[in-house]
Amino acid sequence: EKLVEAFQQRVDVHTVTASLMFHVETAQVTKEQRRLAKMLNYAVRYGVSDFGVAQQLGEGFVVKQSKELIDQYFERFPKIKAFTESVVAEARSKGYTTTLRGRRRYFPEIHAANRNERMYAERQAMNAPIQGAAADLVKLAMINVRRQLGSSSTRMLFLVHDELVFEIAQGEEHLIEPIRREMEQAMPIDVPIEVDAKLGPNWNEMTAVVLP
């Protein structure tokens, strides 16, 4: 609930995570604490092992320390631990996981005799509903944006992760706000989706667009 609240209030979720993990006020969170919290926010949801976390943390961290950080994270956010465990359990039971939109991904290796194959499938299963939902969201946004463009000369060129790149026709800059709105409203969920826009003569020379 604290992380949802952070998103809803549009405050830095990694700072809030660090505050809860290290029992300090948000104003007292250090850069290092925020770095650790940010890394864990991603690593834990994507099933990264304690060895993998130690590697991401860099020189000076050992597996024992990374395991302690993961345990500390789950202690502060028990519902996240319960969620990740339920996703893996679903994959073992059904052979697949589902995204928020109901799209399935199958994991035949979830019952593999080889431990490494099985653990890899478990990590992939843990990640699939989250990464899959993000993919669903941006694909829905692309469909809605295309409709929004109508017969205009502006073209949607391609997708890069969670960014859409457009060629805006001269005099059609007014389309930027509707495009942003369609992206933010593509798949309503409990937390706000925020979209930033940049404009420039090419992809390398863009500046932020201030939108209402």
Side-chain angles (χ1 to χ4, degrees), residues 189-205:
I189 55 178
D190 290 341
V191 297
I193 301 299
E194 296 185 356
V195 176
D196 298 320
K198 293 182 179 180
L199 184 66
N202 57 62
W203 201 11
N204 193 45
E205 299 179 275

Side-chain angles (χ1 to χ4, degrees), residues 40 93 151 174:
L40 286 168
S93 172
S151 59
H174 63 277

Side-chain angles (χ1 to χ4, degrees), residues 7-188:
F7 278 111
Q8 290 174 341
Q9 295 181 356
R10 287 173 167 78
V11 297
D12 183 73
V13 71
H14 304 306
T15 299
V16 171
T17 301
S19 171
L20 294 169
M21 279 189 64
F22 301 110
H23 306 284
V24 296
E25 296 295 327
T26 54
Q28 274 72 56
V29 170
T30 66
K31 288 183 178 180
E32 177 62 10
Q33 288 173 331
R34 184 187 181 279
R35 182 181 80 89
L36 294 174
K38 181 178 180 179
M39 189 275 301
L40 286 168
N41 270 335
Y42 289 109
V44 165
R45 287 159 177 75
Y46 294 159
V48 178
S49 66
D50 46 13
F51 176 75
V53 169
Q55 286 187 312
Q56 289 187 28
L57 288 173
E59 189 176 349
F61 281 89
V62 296
V63 174
K64 180 182 177 181
Q65 289 173 302
S66 67
K67 184 180 184 305
E68 289 173 352
L69 279 172
I70 293 173
D71 290 344
Q72 186 177 350
Y73 184 92
F74 280 139
E75 181 182 335
R76 297 302 298 157
F77 303 104
K79 289 189 178 180
I80 292 178
K81 181 177 177 62
F83 168 75
T84 56
E85 289 176 344
S86 69
V87 169
V88 173
E90 179 187 33
R92 289 199 193 103
S93 172
K94 298 179 179 178
Y96 62 83
T97 60
T98 56
T99 67
L100 289 172
R101 300 287 295 188
R103 187 163 55 87
R104 296 181 182 181
R105 179 175 174 183
Y106 288 84
F107 297 93
E109 300 85 4
I110 201 81
H111 297 295
N114 183 287
R115 181 174 180 273
N116 288 336
E117 287 184 18
R118 189 171 64 252
M119 291 185 67
Y120 178 75
E122 289 178 0
R123 291 194 297 272
Q124 291 295 302
M126 196 183 300
N127 173 38
I130 303 169
Q131 199 83 343
D136 291 349
L137 191 155
V138 75
K139 296 301 192 302
L140 288 168
M142 292 172 74
I143 294 170
N144 296 342
V145 166
R146 181 65 191 87
R147 292 174 182 152
Q148 184 69 241
L149 294 179
S151 59
S152 69
S153 299
T154 292
R155 297 185 298 166
M156 180 163 42
L157 300 183
F158 49 85
L159 166 70
V160 184
H161 300 300
D162 60 352
E163 296 186 4
L164 296 180
V165 181
F166 297 83
E167 186 175 73
I168 302 289
Q170 187 173 6
E172 292 188 349
E173 292 82 1
H174 63 277
L175 289 171
I176 296 175
E177 168 56 19
I179 289 171
R180 182 192 65 82
R181 188 170 58 248
E182 291 291 356
M183 293 178 70
E184 290 188 340
Q185 298 175 358
M187 193 169 75

